[in-house]
Amino acid sequence: MQFSFQDYQQSADFIKAKLKGFQPEALLVLGSGLGFLGDVLENPIVVPYGEIPNFKVSTAPGHKGQFVFGLLGGKNVVVMQGRMHIYEGYSAEDVVYPVRVCRLLGATTMIVTNACGGVNEAYEVGELMLITDFIKTAQPNPLIGPNIPEFGPRFCDMSYTFSKAYRGLAKEVASEMGLNIHEGVYYYTTGPQYETPAEIRAFRILGADVVGMSTVPESLAANHAGMKILGISLVTNMAAGILDQPLTEKEVLDAAEAAKEPFSQLIIRFLEKME
Ligand code: HPA
């Protein structure tokens, strides 16, 4: 289904009526393990996706489907508790719908995080990577279809998708925290299967440092709509074929759980410093 600008506007107007003048500055789209940040906002206002006109509901197990608006790190934020993935059967346009609605609500920044497989063999499980850029080959694209000029141009420049200034700030925070943090390229696949070892070898030759199944549709839409983006990946496992062992979802969830504390602190401190 192709949404019109009026659809997005209708969703935004519905939410705005519940926010009593609150305007989010940053949208937080959080990967496995970090959704709890939505529970620690000050003065929270919860808006379940199911109540919002035109919204598709998040179905991933363990994911709530709601926005939480409130204060984090002294900034007005909105947390998506429950994000949509293309592998769940949503279209690329569905996946980015909430991002565009939050842009209409006033968000000018998006902080997006994910779990990923390490493709760069110098990376280790549990480490973080600031996304400098991504590779998306023949995957579904949320910008296909009639362009909505109220969001951005038909041919969207992707030279500076992830803010260099934000990466600098995040590196400063990480160094204050004594956290080692990489910078590198995210290779996007829709999933839901993990990659084959041959694919991982190919992705490495193409320039990938990590591989994952999220973040890119949202980043495309946010960049199209002129938002500044900070993208952070958590290496939850080494990608297929690097270690002589099968990949499991448990390994991914365990690593996400283990990194929860420093990862969430990094985001809170980043928000505190963000201008
Ligand atoms: N591949 C793709 N997505 C992922 C992985 C992986 O190895 N780990 C966590 N998300």
Side-chain angles (χ1 to χ4, degrees):
M1 172 180 169
Q2 176 73 38
F3 295 108
S4 68
F5 185 68
Q6 285 65 35
D7 294 325
Y8 293 100
Q9 194 73 65
Q10 193 188 17
S11 300
D13 287 346
F14 174 87
I15 298 169
K16 217 177 255 177
K18 301 198 173 275
L19 296 185
K20 304 175 197 112
F22 176 93
Q23 186 176 311
E25 179 180 351
L27 161 65
L28 273 56
V29 185
L30 304 171
S32 309
L34 289 186
F36 80 95
L37 274 175
D39 298 327
V40 304
L41 302 191
E42 289 168 52
N43 309 327
I45 303 173
V46 174
V47 184
Y49 298 155
E51 290 180 6
I52 306 169
N54 313 322
F55 243 70
K56 300 279 173 73
V57 178
S58 155
T59 62
H63 286 246
K64 294 181 189 167
Q66 60 190 27
F67 283 125
V68 189
F69 295 83
L71 271 176
L72 188 69
K75 297 291 187 313
N76 282 359
V77 304
V78 48
V79 174
M80 277 184 71
Q81 277 191 324
R83 76 203 283 187
M84 283 155 266
H85 302 89
I86 285 175
Y87 62 71
E88 294 170 84
Y90 293 108
S91 71
E93 205 190 357
D94 293 336
V95 170
V96 307
Y97 194 88
V99 175
R100 288 175 156 171
V101 168
C102 288
R103 178 73 195 90
L104 293 180
L105 292 172
T108 49
T109 289
M110 179 175 78
I111 299 176
V112 58
T113 76
N114 58 66
C116 67
V119 174
N120 185 326
E121 289 172 292
Y123 287 9
E124 288 180 17
V125 169
E127 288 185 324
L128 296 173
M129 186 195 87
L130 297 169
I131 304 176
T132 56
D133 207 346
F134 66 71
I135 299 172
K136 180 185 98 58
T137 46
Q139 314 288 354
N141 185 328
L143 303 183
I144 287 176
N147 185 49
I148 301 182
E150 288 87 345
F151 287 119
R154 167 79 294 182
F155 300 106
C156 171
D157 178 33
M158 298 298 293
S159 307
Y160 305 99
T161 310
F162 298 93
S163 161
K164 200 170 169 187
Y166 277 1
R167 289 208 301 279
L169 198 56
K171 277 192 281 188
E172 239 178 77
V173 173
S175 122
E176 284 167 15
M177 292 174 62
L179 266 184
N180 181 31
I181 198 159
H182 298 288
E183 285 188 276
V185 173
Y186 181 96
Y187 193 104
Y188 175 63
T189 69
T190 58
Q193 79 285 2
Y194 292 116
E195 302 69 34
T196 66
E199 284 169 338
I200 295 301
R201 287 193 297 276
F203 296 171
R204 188 178 301 119
I205 292 167
L206 291 176
D209 293 296
V210 301
V211 60
M213 307 176 194
S214 66
T215 298
V216 163
E218 295 96 324
S219 298
L220 268 168
N223 183 55
H224 179 242
M227 296 171 83
K228 273 177 86 173
I229 308 174
L230 174 71
I232 314 177
S233 295
L234 168 68
V235 181
T236 52
N237 57 282
M238 293 313 288
I242 295 181
L243 307 174
D244 191 11
Q245 63 185 44
L247 304 190
T248 63
E249 194 181 357
K250 180 173 184 316
E251 165 186 30
V252 171
L253 295 176
D254 287 351
E257 186 60 29
K260 199 167 150 170
E261 191 48 39
F263 202 175
S264 54
Q265 278 305 317
L266 178 75
I267 291 169
I268 294 170
R269 294 188 195 197
F270 174 87
L271 283 166
E272 283 168 358
K273 287 192 177 225
M274 190 182 89
E275 282 172 11

